[in-house]
Amino acid sequence: MTTMEHTAYETGRAGLSLTGFAGRSLRLFYRAIRMRSDRAAMQAMPDYLLKDLGIARSEIDHYTSMRYASDADGMDIRNAH
């Protein structure tokens, strides 16, 4: 990579700017709110619906953790295993 390409790459990254930080913070906050909502909705489901999803009531916290959240949908149970 030449010096000019490296400079363009460094200045083009939003991760180091204040707006990049604010954007990441807002996305993280939104995902946390979404996880809380998803967890509450799953807790309200009857056991037979949870069984249809293939999870036990005791696994709801595991599947609604931030680690298994996808950016677009909030939750991606299919790839959690």
Side-chain angles (χ1 to χ4, degrees):
M1 181 182 290
T2 66
T3 305
M4 290 298 283
E5 290 171 345
H6 185 67
T7 304
Y9 176 74
E10 287 296 321
T11 58
R13 292 191 333 186
L16 299 177
S17 68
L18 184 58
T19 57
F21 175 75
R24 282 191 318 275
S25 298
L26 286 174
R27 280 192 302 275
L28 183 62
F29 177 73
Y30 174 76
R31 287 178 65 190
I33 296 297
R34 178 72 190 261
M35 287 295 101
R36 185 175 179 177
S37 174
D38 290 344
R39 186 174 292 131
M42 291 181 79
Q43 290 287 353
M45 286 183 179
D47 289 333
Y48 72 91
L49 286 178
L50 291 173
K51 187 176 180 181
D52 285 347
L53 290 173
I55 63 172
R57 187 163 300 280
S58 62
E59 297 174 322
I60 291 173
D61 288 340
H62 173 73
Y63 286 117
T64 56
S65 69
M66 293 291 281
R67 206 160 87 191
Y68 292 112
S70 68
D71 290 335
D73 299 326
M75 222 171 49
D76 192 3
I77 293 175
R78 294 169 300 196
N79 297 326
H81 295 289

